[in-house]
Amino acid sequence: MNLTVKEVVEAFDLLFSSLHRKDFTKTLKLNEYGERELLPLVRTYLLGYFGESLIPEAKSSLPGSLSGNGYIDFVIANVAVELAVRKPTAAKSNVSATVNATEVKKLMKHDGLALLVLFDFSKAPYSEDQIENFREWPSLGKGNHKKSSFNVAYFYVAKRKPKTTAVFTKNIRVA
């Protein structure tokens, strides 16, 4: 089964918007969770959404690390997915290109479709121009590296009252 990046973004859009719905979260404050707390919930959600085509913690190449290997958060059919989360009170840099350089390297080395999902629960979301910084991709070190393009899906709260979520995507082409 092959998927498109758009189909994966739609799945994450449903999840992100649901994390802000009172009738879904009830007493849980899921929109205040960080990446570590959300990852098991996201894994369970994706398993229900995509079924057996989900591979969590897939081994990947990671240039610059001691072993040369790393783990991609999820591979859904043919799409590699890395997730980064910014809590409501966290620094703006949590979803920046520099902080997520390791995730970007893993996605650039993935042979196939790749998606970096950024969940921003803060009151001061990034602008589309600030997400453009992902175009300045990190160095993979010495050698002739085969690099793949990847996509960034940035989810944020557009309005507080009534609470409205939004998403925009960017395709990052590697020269």
Side-chain angles (χ1 to χ4, degrees), residues 100-114:
N100 290 295
T102 302
E103 284 78 7
V104 169
K105 286 179 184 181
K106 289 185 276 187
L107 294 175
M108 286 172 52
K109 292 298 290 179
H110 178 74
D111 188 22
L113 298 175

PDB file of all heavy atoms in Angstrom, residues 100-114:
ATOM      1  N   ASN A 100      15.796  20.882  15.234  1.00  0.00           N
ATOM      2  CA  ASN A 100      15.360  19.650  14.583  1.00  0.00           C
ATOM      3  C   ASN A 100      16.292  19.197  13.463  1.00  0.00           C
ATOM      4  O   ASN A 100      15.890  18.438  12.574  1.00  0.00           O
ATOM      5  CB  ASN A 100      13.932  19.823  14.058  1.00  0.00           C
ATOM      6  CG  ASN A 100      12.942  19.900  15.190  1.00  0.00           C
ATOM      7  OD1 ASN A 100      12.766  18.944  15.923  1.00  0.00           O
ATOM      8  ND2 ASN A 100      12.315  21.053  15.358  1.00  0.00           N
ATOM      9  N   ALA A 101      17.545  19.616  13.511  1.00  0.00           N
ATOM     10  CA  ALA A 101      18.512  19.256  12.469  1.00  0.00           C
ATOM     11  C   ALA A 101      18.712  17.745  12.380  1.00  0.00           C
ATOM     12  O   ALA A 101      18.843  17.192  11.282  1.00  0.00           O
ATOM     13  CB  ALA A 101      19.848  19.955  12.725  1.00  0.00           C
ATOM     14  N   THR A 102      18.730  17.049  13.501  1.00  0.00           N
ATOM     15  CA  THR A 102      18.904  15.595  13.493  1.00  0.00           C
ATOM     16  C   THR A 102      17.737  14.927  12.768  1.00  0.00           C
ATOM     17  O   THR A 102      17.938  14.011  11.960  1.00  0.00           O
ATOM     18  CB  THR A 102      19.010  15.057  14.938  1.00  0.00           C
ATOM     19  OG1 THR A 102      20.102  15.701  15.570  1.00  0.00           O
ATOM     20  CG2 THR A 102      19.204  13.564  14.959  1.00  0.00           C
ATOM     21  N   GLU A 103      16.516  15.375  13.047  1.00  0.00           N
ATOM     22  CA  GLU A 103      15.345  14.819  12.388  1.00  0.00           C
ATOM     23  C   GLU A 103      15.409  15.078  10.882  1.00  0.00           C
ATOM     24  O   GLU A 103      15.107  14.201  10.077  1.00  0.00           O
ATOM     25  CB  GLU A 103      14.057  15.416  12.972  1.00  0.00           C
ATOM     26  CG  GLU A 103      13.672  14.870  14.321  1.00  0.00           C
ATOM     27  CD  GLU A 103      14.474  15.434  15.484  1.00  0.00           C
ATOM     28  OE1 GLU A 103      15.267  16.366  15.284  1.00  0.00           O
ATOM     29  OE2 GLU A 103      14.302  14.913  16.603  1.00  0.00           O
ATOM     30  N   VAL A 104      15.833  16.283  10.506  1.00  0.00           N
ATOM     31  CA  VAL A 104      15.950  16.633   9.096  1.00  0.00           C
ATOM     32  C   VAL A 104      16.979  15.740   8.407  1.00  0.00           C
ATOM     33  O   VAL A 104      16.754  15.254   7.296  1.00  0.00           O
ATOM     34  CB  VAL A 104      16.303  18.132   8.940  1.00  0.00           C
ATOM     35  CG1 VAL A 104      16.694  18.462   7.516  1.00  0.00           C
ATOM     36  CG2 VAL A 104      15.125  18.996   9.390  1.00  0.00           C
ATOM     37  N   LYS A 105      18.110  15.476   9.060  1.00  0.00           N
ATOM     38  CA  LYS A 105      19.139  14.605   8.477  1.00  0.00           C
ATOM     39  C   LYS A 105      18.585  13.213   8.205  1.00  0.00           C
ATOM     40  O   LYS A 105      18.825  12.627   7.147  1.00  0.00           O
ATOM     41  CB  LYS A 105      20.346  14.495   9.412  1.00  0.00           C
ATOM     42  CG  LYS A 105      21.213  15.721   9.458  1.00  0.00           C
ATOM     43  CD  LYS A 105      22.358  15.492  10.424  1.00  0.00           C
ATOM     44  CE  LYS A 105      23.224  16.715  10.587  1.00  0.00           C
ATOM     45  NZ  LYS A 105      24.347  16.472  11.514  1.00  0.00           N
ATOM     46  N   LYS A 106      17.845  12.668   9.167  1.00  0.00           N
ATOM     47  CA  LYS A 106      17.278  11.332   8.976  1.00  0.00           C
ATOM     48  C   LYS A 106      16.297  11.317   7.810  1.00  0.00           C
ATOM     49  O   LYS A 106      16.284  10.374   7.016  1.00  0.00           O
ATOM     50  CB  LYS A 106      16.585  10.857  10.264  1.00  0.00           C
ATOM     51  CG  LYS A 106      17.549  10.527  11.383  1.00  0.00           C
ATOM     52  CD  LYS A 106      16.840   9.958  12.589  1.00  0.00           C
ATOM     53  CE  LYS A 106      16.299  11.051  13.473  1.00  0.00           C
ATOM     54  NZ  LYS A 106      15.748  10.556  14.751  1.00  0.00           N
ATOM     55  N   LEU A 107      15.491  12.365   7.690  1.00  0.00           N
ATOM     56  CA  LEU A 107      14.530  12.426   6.593  1.00  0.00           C
ATOM     57  C   LEU A 107      15.218  12.617   5.251  1.00  0.00           C
ATOM     58  O   LEU A 107      14.793  12.047   4.243  1.00  0.00           O
ATOM     59  CB  LEU A 107      13.517  13.553   6.843  1.00  0.00           C
ATOM     60  CG  LEU A 107      12.598  13.353   8.045  1.00  0.00           C
ATOM     61  CD1 LEU A 107      11.739  14.587   8.267  1.00  0.00           C
ATOM     62  CD2 LEU A 107      11.748  12.111   7.901  1.00  0.00           C
ATOM     63  N   MET A 108      16.291  13.401   5.229  1.00  0.00           N
ATOM     64  CA  MET A 108      17.028  13.613   3.982  1.00  0.00           C
ATOM     65  C   MET A 108      17.699  12.325   3.497  1.00  0.00           C
ATOM     66  O   MET A 108      17.865  12.118   2.301  1.00  0.00           O
ATOM     67  CB  MET A 108      18.085  14.707   4.170  1.00  0.00           C
ATOM     68  CG  MET A 108      17.495  16.095   4.234  1.00  0.00           C
ATOM     69  SD  MET A 108      18.674  17.385   4.670  1.00  0.00           S
ATOM     70  CE  MET A 108      19.994  17.152   3.543  1.00  0.00           C
ATOM     71  N   LYS A 109      18.076  11.459   4.412  1.00  0.00           N
ATOM     72  CA  LYS A 109      18.729  10.205   4.047  1.00  0.00           C
ATOM     73  C   LYS A 109      17.735   9.095   3.733  1.00  0.00           C
ATOM     74  O   LYS A 109      18.104   8.051   3.202  1.00  0.00           O
ATOM     75  CB  LYS A 109      19.673   9.745   5.177  1.00  0.00           C
ATOM     76  CG  LYS A 109      20.891  10.630   5.364  1.00  0.00           C
ATOM     77  CD  LYS A 109      21.776  10.659   4.141  1.00  0.00           C
ATOM     78  CE  LYS A 109      22.484   9.333   3.945  1.00  0.00           C
ATOM     79  NZ  LYS A 109      23.330   9.300   2.757  1.00  0.00           N
ATOM     80  N   HIS A 110      16.467   9.305   4.066  1.00  0.00           N
ATOM     81  CA  HIS A 110      15.442   8.295   3.787  1.00  0.00           C
ATOM     82  C   HIS A 110      15.190   8.227   2.284  1.00  0.00           C
ATOM     83  O   HIS A 110      14.981   9.247   1.632  1.00  0.00           O
ATOM     84  CB  HIS A 110      14.144   8.632   4.529  1.00  0.00           C
ATOM     85  CG  HIS A 110      13.038   7.667   4.257  1.00  0.00           C
ATOM     86  ND1 HIS A 110      13.027   6.405   4.785  1.00  0.00           N
ATOM     87  CD2 HIS A 110      11.932   7.776   3.499  1.00  0.00           C
ATOM     88  CE1 HIS A 110      11.944   5.774   4.369  1.00  0.00           C
ATOM     89  NE2 HIS A 110      11.265   6.589   3.585  1.00  0.00           N
ATOM     90  N   ASP A 111      15.198   7.032   1.747  1.00  0.00           N
ATOM     91  CA  ASP A 111      14.953   6.844   0.322  1.00  0.00           C
ATOM     92  C   ASP A 111      13.453   6.677   0.108  1.00  0.00           C
ATOM     93  O   ASP A 111      12.919   5.578   0.216  1.00  0.00           O
ATOM     94  CB  ASP A 111      15.715   5.618  -0.177  1.00  0.00           C
ATOM     95  CG  ASP A 111      15.654   5.495  -1.693  1.00  0.00           C
ATOM     96  OD1 ASP A 111      15.407   6.509  -2.365  1.00  0.00           O
ATOM     97  OD2 ASP A 111      15.837   4.367  -2.193  1.00  0.00           O
ATOM     98  N   GLY A 112      12.781   7.767  -0.112  1.00  0.00           N
ATOM     99  CA  GLY A 112      11.329   7.750  -0.304  1.00  0.00           C
ATOM    100  C   GLY A 112      10.720   9.030   0.224  1.00  0.00           C
ATOM    101  O   GLY A 112      11.417   9.996   0.536  1.00  0.00           O
ATOM    102  N   LEU A 113       9.411   9.037   0.327  1.00  0.00           N
ATOM    103  CA  LEU A 113       8.696  10.210   0.824  1.00  0.00           C
ATOM    104  C   LEU A 113       9.014  10.422   2.303  1.00  0.00           C
ATOM    105  O   LEU A 113       9.151   9.461   3.060  1.00  0.00           O
ATOM    106  CB  LEU A 113       7.192  10.042   0.635  1.00  0.00           C
ATOM    107  CG  LEU A 113       6.706   9.898  -0.810  1.00  0.00           C
ATOM    108  CD1 LEU A 113       5.216   9.607  -0.845  1.00  0.00           C
ATOM    109  CD2 LEU A 113       7.024  11.139  -1.615  1.00  0.00           C
ATOM    110  N   ALA A 114       9.118  11.687   2.710  1.00  0.00           N
ATOM    111  CA  ALA A 114       9.460  12.004   4.095  1.00  0.00           C
ATOM    112  C   ALA A 114       8.680  13.229   4.544  1.00  0.00           C
ATOM    113  O   ALA A 114       8.428  14.144   3.757  1.00  0.00           O
ATOM    114  CB  ALA A 114      10.952  12.242   4.224  1.00  0.00           C
TER     115      ALA A 114
END
